[in-house]
Amino acid sequence: MINSFRGINISSKDPKRLVSFYKKVLEIPILEDDENYDGVVFGFIKDAPVFWIWDENKWGKSNEGPVCLVFNCDDHIKTYEDLTRKGVELNPPTTAPWGGKELLLTDPDGNKILIL
């Protein structure tokens, strides 16, 4: 039976652009790179859940629509300011109904990104 969660596949028609967004704008570490931008692995800890970006033009769609990736940050205001300086359009942090702070944005492919 299932014994762990491995990660999420994201297909992109422009994987180079999407890889650049996660690497340069959000500064998510690349754990395994690919010179063709096909199968690039992002994550924070080896052998922990990751996400892959695949070339949809080569492999077809691995997801049927946008996904929502959830990340944590230490300081919502600083993260908001850093992202707006990099040209990301997003609203300031809000307080969610459950009481925590949230930042919501989308990547260049329309996937949602929730920063807690």
Side-chain angles (χ1 to χ4, degrees):
M1 282 305 289
I2 296 170
N3 62 15
S4 67
F5 177 66
R6 180 68 201 246
I8 296 172
N9 285 323
I10 300 175
S11 297
S12 177
K13 291 183 179 178
D14 190 350
K16 183 177 181 179
R17 177 186 67 174
L18 198 59
V19 166
S20 178
F21 176 81
Y22 283 98
K23 179 181 178 181
K24 294 178 181 173
V25 176
L26 296 186
E27 300 179 11
I28 307 297
I30 290 178
L31 297 177
E32 294 177 28
D33 209 349
D34 181 271
E35 63 186 30
N36 298 312
Y37 301 94
D38 188 29
V40 177
V41 181
F42 285 88
F44 293 91
I45 302 170
K46 192 165 179 66
D47 299 325
V50 298
F51 65 95
W52 293 266
I53 294 178
W54 297 98
D55 186 343
E56 182 178 322
N57 303 299
K58 182 177 179 182
W59 302 107
K61 293 182 78 58
S62 64
N63 49 299
E64 293 303 317
V67 298
C68 181
L69 299 172
V70 182
F71 298 102
N72 289 322
C73 75
D74 293 324
D75 183 330
H76 287 84
I77 298 298
K78 182 177 180 329
T79 301
Y80 170 76
E81 291 170 349
D82 288 347
L83 291 172
T84 55
R85 262 194 304 277
K86 292 178 180 181
V88 177
E89 292 184 23
L90 72 159
N91 291 321
T94 60
T95 301
W98 54 271
K101 292 285 186 193
E102 296 181 342
L103 277 170
L104 185 62
L105 61 140
T106 57
D107 72 18
D109 282 6
N111 296 298
K112 289 184 179 181
I113 299 168
L114 177 61
I115 303 174
L116 302 177

